[in-house]
Amino acid sequence: MASAPPSPASVPMPSPSNTGPLLIPVSGVAASALVDTFAQARDHGGRPHDAIDIMAERGRAVLAAADGPVEKLFWSDAGGRTLYQRADGGRLLLYYAHLDGYAPGVREGISVRKGQQIATVGSTGNADPAAPHLHFAVHVVRPDDPWYAGRPVNPYPLLTRR
Ligand SMILES: [Zn+2]
């Protein structure tokens, strides 16, 4: 027999080898403008935030942070209009929330390229209408895991190389 398969308990951290660092998924936002909001507790509920909030005006272009297929377009009370994208050979799920709208032609199953516009910034869901932003999360998954699975990792170092 060949060597034993890797233990399913050891889900690897996202590797920059395949996709390179993730692109900052809001047009015109520099790495120096990002704030690490991953560990911040929410005002309501006190749960970890598990994402980065990227402030921008309503309508600013939301860009795909990596190459990969759009897996799910979904509306939730918290996230509002959301988009889940599979990346890194299926091992990452990228979650974009509070979207104002989807870009023309974006639908489940299409592949998008890193840097392609997929949506616009908004404040749908539980975002403050006076402070539109992109809520962006990165979940480590196995390729056959569903779109709602995964373990959140901090997007900040993946976006800033720090
Ligand atoms: Zn958020």
Side-chain angles (χ1 to χ4, degrees), residues 145-159:
D145 277 342
W147 58 274
Y148 47 80
R151 176 173 59 82
V153 295
N154 189 354
Y156 183 78
L158 301 174
L159 297 173

Side-chain angles (χ1 to χ4, degrees), residues 58 74-82 95-102 120-129 131-133 135:
R58 185 182 320 279
F74 189 71
W75 180 276
S76 71
D77 289 342
R81 183 174 288 108
T82 74
Y95 172 64
Y96 308 79
H98 306 316
L99 304 173
D100 198 51
Y102 299 119
T120 48
V121 171
S123 57
T124 54
N126 65 7
D128 181 350
H133 65 278
H135 172 103

Side-chain angles (χ1 to χ4, degrees), residues 19 47 102 112 117 126 151:
T19 58
R47 289 178 297 124
Y102 299 119
V112 294
Q117 184 177 355
N126 65 7
R151 176 173 59 82

Side-chain angles (χ1 to χ4, degrees), residues 37 42 49-54 95 97-98 126-127 133-136:
T37 53
R42 304 307 300 261
H49 181 235
D50 289 351
I52 189 167
D53 288 336
I54 303 175
Y95 172 64
H98 306 316
N126 65 7
H133 65 278
L134 177 69
H135 172 103
F136 178 69

Side-chain angles (χ1 to χ4, degrees), residues 13-106:
M13 289 294 290
S15 158
S17 59
N18 287 0
T19 58
L22 297 178
L23 182 77
I24 294 171
V26 178
S27 176
V29 173
S32 58
L34 298 181
V35 178
D36 185 357
T37 53
F38 185 72
Q40 285 180 1
R42 304 307 300 261
D43 292 340
H44 42 281
R47 289 178 297 124
H49 181 235
D50 289 351
I52 189 167
D53 288 336
I54 303 175
M55 312 308 294
E57 77 277 11
R58 185 182 320 279
R60 185 84 71 89
V62 173
L63 310 177
D67 293 345
V70 173
E71 177 133 335
K72 185 74 179 176
L73 305 180
F74 189 71
W75 180 276
S76 71
D77 289 342
R81 183 174 288 108
T82 74
L83 184 153
Y84 291 77
Q85 182 193 9
R86 186 78 64 159
D88 197 21
R91 295 186 297 269
L92 291 181
L93 269 171
L94 309 179
Y95 172 64
Y96 308 79
H98 306 316
L99 304 173
D100 198 51
Y102 299 119
V106 167

